[in-house]
Amino acid sequence: MEMEVTALVGKAYYEITLDDIAEWWILGGVCGCCGHKGPLNRDWIERKAQNRLLRFASRYIHCKRCGNGHLNRFYIAGKLPR
Ligand SMILES: [Zn+2]
């Protein structure tokens, strides 16, 4: 079940923080350059991101296909089984 973060949280992308997204959602990244999508290691991002706004945390994600690190966005890649 993929969806936009904005659809899940109901806020504009620029004001969404990691805290708005419950831990059972799997975060993914969309490349701003080539459009590649993939799931992310959320623990790693939580540790790296000093600013919890998604638009700042996204600077720590890089595209696995083209290596791009700019203008990448988060999306919801799915839900953890429980
Ligand atoms: Zn890419």
Side-chain angles (χ1 to χ4, degrees):
M1 164 165 61
E2 279 186 20
M3 69 174 110
E4 294 294 326
V5 179
T6 46
L8 176 74
V9 178
K11 290 184 191 175
Y13 189 84
Y14 73 87
E15 54 185 356
I16 298 173
T17 72
L18 290 166
D19 301 305
D20 289 323
I21 302 165
E23 63 197 13
W24 53 80
W25 296 107
I26 300 165
L27 280 179
V30 187
C31 178
C33 198
C34 76
H36 180 66
K37 281 179 158 186
L40 297 165
N41 181 336
R42 181 162 182 173
D43 289 341
W44 187 83
I45 291 166
E46 297 271 354
R47 268 182 277 127
K48 283 298 259 193
Q50 286 148 7
N51 186 317
R52 299 183 63 76
L53 282 164
L54 295 192
R55 63 197 162 106
F56 291 113
S58 65
R59 72 181 51 165
Y60 297 107
I61 62 179
H62 287 87
C63 179
K64 286 202 169 82
R65 186 202 273 163
C66 75
N68 170 53
H70 299 287
L71 300 174
N72 295 335
R73 287 167 70 98
F74 291 100
Y75 75 104
I76 303 298
K79 201 172 183 180
L80 293 170
R82 43 173 184 159

